[in-house]
Amino acid sequence: MLNENIVFHPHHVNKEERAAIKDQKPCILWFTGLSGSGKSTIANAVESVLHKRGKHTYLLDGDNIRMGLNKGLGFSDEDRIENIRRIGEVAKLFVDAGMIVLTAFISPFRNERDMVRSLVEKGEFIEVFIDTPLEVCEQRDPKGLYKKARQGEIQNFTGIDSPYEAPLKPEIAIKNDKISVEEVVRQIIDHLETKGYLYA
Ligand SMILES: Nc1ncnc2c1ncn2[C@@H]1O[C@H](COP(=O)(O)OS(=O)(=O)O)[C@@H](OP(=O)(O)O)[C@H]1O
Ligand SMILES: Nc1ncnc2c1ncn2[C@@H]1O[C@H](COP(=O)(O)OP(=O)(O)O)[C@@H](O)[C@H]1O
């Protein structure tokens, strides 16, 4: 619902000024991929490296969001769309705060990922496709959810009876089987350095 009595207030301190004292270019590292593909593991490992380098980061992932802000949302297409919409808005606020924000959600629909991309400025959205074959994710099955989905105990499970639309032109695509987590982290940090996100 639009409220015409709400007026946007410009801030005295802007995004560039906030980012400048952090020696970094704010951005969203948007991890997407199937359940069990490795999003959370890699996002955590990348955040650790950035943190050790003195960068100001924040990781948004499934547990902290679906247990709090998005408590009550399930896994219908409609709820997933709303889940990503809210996460996108939160990520945008972190970018405005000058941070490097990492997000680790399946985010199965191209439309919603593109919508988040459109919320921020060019270059501020880095789509990281964690491309792990379904068979490998299903074999890993760290939470036993694929087993439950195959047995019909969970409905609308991504890759089983709910779609996953792979990114068409992600900034970074990682084939996350037959590669070590350390090597993946190296590739992502290398991208950030080459593209000028880390000033020191
Ligand atoms: N039906 C169904 N489909 C997919 N995933 C399910 C489902 N039910 C529960 N889970 C668990 O929830 C995690 C995915 O939540 P997300 O918020 O990332 O999903 S989405 O982006 O809204 O599609 C996902 O976590 P990850 O394994 O870390 O991806 C699962 O552990
Ligand atoms: N490059 C990799 N090689 C081997 N195992 C991996 C790799 N990346 C992640 N894993 C493992 O895969 C499983 C799922 O990873 P997780 O980060 O929980 O995935 P997601 O967040 O996408 O559901 C975990 O047991 C993790 O240790």
Side-chain angles (χ1 to χ4, degrees):
M1 191 178 65
L2 276 176
N3 187 333
E4 62 204 21
N5 298 321
I6 294 174
V7 180
F8 181 79
H9 279 267
H11 296 173
H12 292 191
V13 179
N14 66 30
K15 177 170 65 182
E16 288 67 31
E17 289 163 332
R18 283 188 284 265
I21 59 170
K22 299 184 196 302
D23 265 345
Q24 63 193 36
K25 178 171 151 49
C27 63
I28 305 171
L29 271 170
W30 187 278
F31 291 83
T32 174
L34 293 169
S35 174
S37 58
K39 304 178 295 296
S40 190
T41 304
I42 294 166
N44 269 286
V46 170
E47 186 181 33
S48 293
V49 170
L50 291 172
H51 182 75
K52 280 197 197 110
R53 284 179 59 163
K55 300 301 160 194
H56 207 169
T57 59
Y58 196 77
L59 170 59
L60 297 167
D61 72 17
D63 288 348
N64 59 25
I65 294 294
R66 278 189 175 271
M67 285 179 183
L69 176 69
N70 289 354
K71 202 166 155 181
L73 292 181
F75 291 90
S76 63
D77 288 3
E78 194 187 14
D79 279 6
R80 289 180 199 255
I81 288 168
E82 178 60 10
N83 186 41
I84 299 307
R85 188 192 71 75
R86 292 185 199 171
I87 292 158
E89 291 291 347
V90 172
K92 180 183 174 174
L93 292 176
F94 275 102
V95 168
D96 198 43
M99 314 261 289
I100 295 175
V101 50
L102 306 94
T103 67
F105 299 90
I106 297 176
S107 45
F109 305 132
R110 254 175 232 138
N111 206 31
E112 275 51 58
R113 296 193 302 266
D114 288 346
M115 182 278 294
V116 178
R117 184 186 287 275
S118 74
L119 284 177
V120 291
E121 288 177 40
K122 200 167 184 301
E124 289 179 342
F125 183 86
I126 302 169
E127 192 172 27
V128 187
F129 179 26
I130 303 299
D131 184 6
T132 310
L134 177 64
E135 308 78 69
V136 175
C137 297
E138 199 163 351
Q139 208 172 12
R140 290 179 181 165
D141 204 10
K143 303 174 194 161
L145 295 177
Y146 282 99
K147 190 162 177 245
K148 284 190 183 168
R150 288 290 185 197
Q151 290 171 343
E153 290 168 37
I154 305 178
Q155 274 74 47
N156 298 327
F157 199 81
T158 307
I160 309 291
D161 56 352
S162 183
Y164 178 78
E165 299 170 356
L168 298 176
K169 277 178 74 181
E171 278 73 10
I172 303 174
I174 306 282
K175 295 254 179 227
N176 194 33
D177 57 334
K178 306 187 195 100
I179 186 170
S180 69
V181 172
E182 292 70 28
E183 173 57 19
V184 176
V185 171
R186 201 193 56 71
Q187 288 183 19
I188 294 172
I189 297 290
D190 190 54
H191 180 97
L192 294 176
E193 277 173 343
T194 312
K195 302 283 178 187
Y197 289 90
L198 312 175
Y199 301 156

